């Protein structure tokens, strides 16, 4: 981002100087050249990092799609193993111990 901005400012300063005989236009050309020179390290680092991140995003997106396919296959396998989509009532009963209030009990979870 900074490299592109510096190139843009440098080109604008160089191209805006219409009369190279005046001090202001000569200064503008010099500052434009400095901006373009200063943009080289930013572009030298920024372009490879941007291209690598784009590549990694594309690869990661492919891995995420493959993961979703594997998850869907696992869900289908679990559904087949369970015997289809049953609408039976599932009841889970488990003990509960509450050490803060020194009491215990039994909890039940009902799933449809």
């Amino acid at each position: 981002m900074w490299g592109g901005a510096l190139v843009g400012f440098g080109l604008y300063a160089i191209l805006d100087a219409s009369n190279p005989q005046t001090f202001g236009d000569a200064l503008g050309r010099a500052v434009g050249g400095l901006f373009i020179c200063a943009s080289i390290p930013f572009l030298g680092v920024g372009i490879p990092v941007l291209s690598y991140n784009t590549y990694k995003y594309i690869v990661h997106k492919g891995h995420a799609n493959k993961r979703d396919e594997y998850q869907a296959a696992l869900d289908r396998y679990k559904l087949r193993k369970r015997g289809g989509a049953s609408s039976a009532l599932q009841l889970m009963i488990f003990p509960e111990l509450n050490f803060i209030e020194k009491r215990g009990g039994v909890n039940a979870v009902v799933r449809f």
Side-chain angles (χ1 to χ4, degrees):
M1 182 178 116
W2 286 104
L6 288 173
V7 167
F9 291 145
L11 287 176
Y12 176 75
I14 290 173
L15 296 176
D16 188 49
S18 59
N19 186 7
Q21 302 300 325
T22 63
F23 177 72
D25 288 345
L27 183 65
R29 285 179 187 263
V31 169
L34 287 175
F35 277 0
I36 290 176
C37 289
S39 71
I40 292 172
F42 288 105
L43 292 175
V45 171
I47 290 174
V49 168
L50 179 65
S51 60
Y52 178 75
N53 285 341
T54 303
Y55 166 75
K56 289 305 276 183
Y57 174 76
I58 291 169
V59 169
H60 176 73
K61 186 67 175 162
H63 287 206
N65 289 342
K66 193 59 123 174
R67 180 199 63 217
D68 292 342
E69 291 174 10
Y70 288 146
Q71 186 64 41
L74 178 64
D75 292 341
R76 287 192 304 270
Y77 169 75
K78 287 181 179 178
L79 186 64
R80 278 195 319 268
K81 185 178 177 185
R82 197 171 57 201
S86 68
S87 59
L89 179 71
Q90 295 179 353
L91 178 66
M92 293 189 301
I93 299 174
F94 52 93
E96 175 192 15
L97 297 174
N98 189 345
F99 293 108
I100 296 174
E101 298 176 6
K102 297 180 183 176
R103 64 182 175 132
V106 176
N107 284 338
V109 176
V110 179
R111 293 191 322 180
F112 298 97

